[in-house]
Amino acid sequence: MEIGSRLREAREGKQLTLEEIQSTTKIQKRYLQAIENNEFGTLPGKFYTRAFIREYASAVGLNPEQVMEEHSSELPSTEEEPAVTYSRVQRSKSESSSNKAGGFAKAFPRIISIVLIIGALFAFYYFYTEATNSNEGTTQTESEDQVDVKTSTEAQVPDSEDSQQQEGSSDQPEEEKKEPAEEEPALEANLVETGTGSFPEHTYEITGAEERELTIEFSGKSYLAVTAPQGGEDLITAKEYSASDEAVNVDVSEYDQVYIRTGSAPGLTVKINDEVIEFPADVVTQKLVINFK
């Protein structure tokens, strides 16, 4: 029995329609029909074919890995697809190092300019101080023979204006010190579980952010489906995206969980409030479960 017939038989055995399988897996009905008819050429790519079959098998109660192994001869080979030569974590570190080096090179001329300005100000201050000291010495010499003598009346009469100012100043309330504003806690993303297999599911725990925005940027072709929570409502249209598509931005502040499935993890970048959420496995098809605390 071919793999498509086996999946159709399992679906019919559970009395499920193609529409119900589409709602569960977020795979378009025409792709499900192509899988049942073993018409894999109509699917978007070899990796998507294998990913869709795994999702279909899981939805009808079959073991995805067992189905893939028993029907491996029927499935399209993935040898022609580009291999992932290094993990996204390594790529992020490489880009970070490059950005740091470039930033210092750009800032170096500015640092030199600041040093020169400080030097010029210091020289101006030095010559100004020397000129001021010289003028004070001349004035002191001219006034050595002059004696300013106050009369006894002037010595006894206090300065009424100064007294009033001192009394008035004692009655003025001290300015209240402003309390520093509390800093908003920083967002922390912790990988609490790493998935295994050819379609691994990884779990992240996000803390320290009441307002949260999900951003997904595309650098290549990638099938993408996002729901909140897992098995819940669609946050975006489940389809194949490419590098020419604009980044997806979704406010997820009201959700406790976001579920992401992709057919090509290297083709996209997932962020929560500009914090990159990595795909930790070196495989193409991966899933992310993001829980907010």
Side-chain angles (χ1 to χ4, degrees):
M1 181 183 296
E2 295 182 335
I3 188 171
S5 301
R6 181 177 179 182
L7 293 173
R8 182 191 299 110
E9 183 178 286
R11 173 178 63 80
E12 294 174 348
K14 288 185 173 291
Q15 297 182 349
L16 296 172
T17 64
L18 284 175
E19 287 76 9
E20 290 173 323
I21 298 298
Q22 175 179 267
S23 177
T24 301
T25 63
K26 309 304 179 185
I27 300 173
Q28 297 180 25
K29 180 180 176 180
R30 63 190 181 94
Y31 291 151
L32 297 175
Q33 291 175 330
I35 291 173
E36 289 188 351
N37 296 328
N38 274 46
E39 298 174 351
F40 303 134
T42 62
L43 273 67
K46 297 177 181 179
F47 283 110
Y48 300 114
T49 300
R50 304 174 76 89
F52 290 172
I53 291 174
R54 287 191 179 91
E55 288 291 317
Y56 193 138
S58 178
V60 297
L62 299 178
N63 186 321
E65 299 305 325
Q66 182 179 353
V67 171
M68 299 294 290
E69 182 177 355
E70 293 177 356
H71 296 272
S72 60
S73 61
E74 303 174 33
L75 302 176
S77 172
T78 60
E79 293 180 357
E80 298 177 1
E81 296 289 340
V84 180
T85 57
Y86 59 92
S87 69
R88 296 175 60 82
V89 176
Q90 292 171 327
R91 185 177 67 183
S92 298
K93 291 181 179 179
S94 175
E95 293 175 353
S96 175
S97 300
S98 175
N99 291 337
K100 289 180 179 179
F104 177 78
K106 293 178 180 178
F108 183 74
R110 186 180 300 174
I111 294 173
I112 294 298
S113 300
I114 293 173
V115 171
L116 293 175
I117 292 172
I118 293 174
L121 291 174
F122 179 79
F124 173 78
Y125 174 77
Y126 174 79
F127 288 112
Y128 175 79
T129 304
E130 289 294 324
T132 302
N133 292 338
S134 176
N135 292 335
E136 289 179 353
T138 303
T139 303
Q140 184 177 1
T141 302
E142 294 176 351
S143 59
E144 284 181 353
D145 297 333
Q146 298 179 0
V147 179
D148 186 8
V149 180
K150 291 185 179 181
T151 63
S152 58
T153 304
E154 292 176 344
Q156 294 175 0
V157 177
D159 191 340
S160 59
E161 292 182 359
D162 292 342
S163 300
Q164 291 177 0
Q165 291 178 357
Q166 292 177 359
E167 291 176 358
S169 63
S170 61
D171 296 335
Q172 294 177 355
E174 295 183 358
E175 294 183 359
E176 297 181 357
K177 296 183 179 179
K178 295 183 180 179
E179 296 182 357
E182 296 183 359
E183 295 183 358
E184 183 178 350
L187 181 146
E188 291 186 5
N190 297 312
L191 178 62
V192 297
E193 183 178 351
T194 303
T196 58
S198 57
F199 202 176
E201 180 177 288
H202 318 292
T203 302
Y204 276 88
E205 185 174 287
I206 305 295
T207 58
E210 295 183 1
E211 296 183 358
R212 304 178 290 269
E213 183 177 41
L214 170 66
T215 301
I216 302 178
E217 301 170 348
F218 304 101
S219 57
K221 288 186 177 181
S222 178
Y223 175 84
L224 178 66
V226 182
T227 61
Q230 184 174 356
E233 65 173 306
D234 292 330
L235 298 186
I236 66 171
T237 301
K239 65 174 185 178
E240 183 180 75
Y241 293 83
S242 65
S244 61
D245 290 317
E246 294 183 358
V248 172
N249 294 284
V250 183
D251 186 358
V252 295
S253 301
E254 61 180 291
Y255 302 107
D256 295 328
Q257 185 184 82
V258 172
Y259 182 60
I260 300 173
R261 294 184 298 114
T262 177
S264 180
L268 54 83
T269 300
V270 178
K271 298 179 181 179
I272 299 292
N273 291 6
D274 295 328
E275 179 74 18
V276 176
I277 308 301
E278 301 286 355
F279 288 94
D282 289 336
V283 295
V284 176
T285 55
Q286 301 188 53
K287 308 172 189 175
L288 292 179
V289 178
I290 303 176
N291 295 317
F292 300 105
K293 301 296 183 180

